[in-house]
DNA sequence: GCACAAATGAAAATGATTTTCATTCCCATA
DNA sequence: TATGGGAATGAAAATCATTTTCATTTGTGC
């Protein structure tokens, strides 16, 4: 197993700590960095193995990588224009823990997103 | 938009109410039913639109379709074996409404899922 | 310099899902 | 009954993320 190319991690950080492999690749290209898509995928896999980043799935199935240390938060997304607001989880955090415990689940995580139409749309 | 082929829903039921499009297709083939993969996908999409089935993602990104009741609910999913428990949203229903209103969003919906390792795994 | 292992990336392969498009099926009306 | 139009169907091609292959490059210790 290969080691992670440090520029990939640095780009993921610069992307807000939340991006897909393809996005990271395109971002690096746009910034003139020479790297292959394969290396981006391999580096991300390695970072996941080392538990430096988490991997989640978008609704369309694409894998998105998230820096672990990042402050946990959720999103409020406009269905029309795509505007996204980062919000606090608040009550959800406890809800997830309680529900999981109630059913005997461990190592739990959660996803939660609110979508609607923003005031500008 | 086409309507769902009733044999697809019937097969999903027979599969335990939990299967991927490819699995449903292969199951129907094995049972001698003549159907195209395209129709399976279209029927499942239609069932999702009509909120007769939910769609989730396996760890590998493949979409899995799951029969579910009408009542609004959320899922607690085992990352290892895929076991799914339907749970009440509880506090997050209000959280979603409040957060959305706070930021001026309307026509809001939400998704929330908890994932972890179940007691059997 | 030399050998050898690790890293890289272009290109091909894979696999799920979507799109295209020609054909078939259904059904209402003349 | 015949017919015309819209819906349903499915084979094949296209798409797209991801993985695999494999030849080349790079790095490191001797
Ligand atoms: Zn908007
Ligand atoms: Zn949270
Ligand atoms: Zn389990
Ligand atoms: Zn809810």
């Amino acid at each position: 197993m290969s080691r992670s190319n440090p520029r990939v991690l640095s780009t993921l950080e610069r992307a807000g700590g939340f991006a897909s492999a393809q996005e990271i690749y395109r971002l690096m290209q746009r910034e003139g960095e020479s790297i292959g898509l394969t290396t981006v995928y391999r580096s991300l896999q390695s970072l996941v193995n080392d538990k430096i980043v988490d991997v989640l799935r978008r609704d369309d199935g694409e894998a998105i990588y998230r820096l672990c240390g990042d402050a946990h938060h959720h999103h409020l997304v406009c269905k029309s224009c795509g505007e996204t607001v980062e919000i606090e989880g608040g009550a959800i955090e406890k809800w997830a823990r309680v529900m999981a415990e109630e059913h005997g689940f461990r190592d739990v995580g959660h996803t939660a997103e609110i979508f609607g139409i923003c005031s500008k749309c």
Side-chain angles (χ1 to χ4, degrees), chain A:
Chain A
M1 192 70 46
S2 61
R3 217 172 306 145
S4 166
N5 181 314
R7 289 179 295 151
V8 170
L9 178 55
S10 138
T11 305
L12 177 57
E13 280 167 357
R14 223 165 335 109
F18 200 81
S20 74
Q22 301 280 347
E23 286 166 354
I24 290 171
Y25 175 66
R26 285 193 292 267
L27 191 53
M28 294 179 81
Q29 295 250 299
R30 220 177 301 132
E31 294 178 350
E33 298 214 53
S34 165
I35 197 166
L37 183 54
T38 314
T39 299
V40 173
Y41 273 105
R42 270 194 292 239
S43 294
L44 288 170
Q45 271 171 210
S46 163
L47 291 168
V48 169
N49 279 344
D50 297 348
K51 300 197 200 300
I52 295 169
V53 311
D54 277 343
V55 56
L56 303 175
R57 294 270 168 192
R58 290 230 177 90
D59 273 358
D60 67 355
E62 190 174 357
I64 48 183
Y65 301 85
R66 184 181 72 174
L67 267 174
C68 281
D70 269 17
H72 174 79
H73 63 262
H74 297 270
H75 293 116
L76 177 53
V77 185
C78 176
K79 279 188 284 195
S80 171
C81 70
E83 185 187 310
T84 301
V85 182
E86 292 192 354
I87 54 179
E88 295 297 316
I92 284 201
E93 310 303 329
K94 187 178 179 189
W95 169 78
R97 275 197 306 276
V98 168
M99 281 296 179
E101 189 173 347
E102 216 165 84
H103 290 86
F105 279 58
R106 58 205 153 78
D107 290 334
V108 292
H110 63 268
T111 61
E113 234 170 67
I114 309 177
F115 44 87
I117 308 294
C118 78
S119 52
K120 275 175 294 194
C121 290

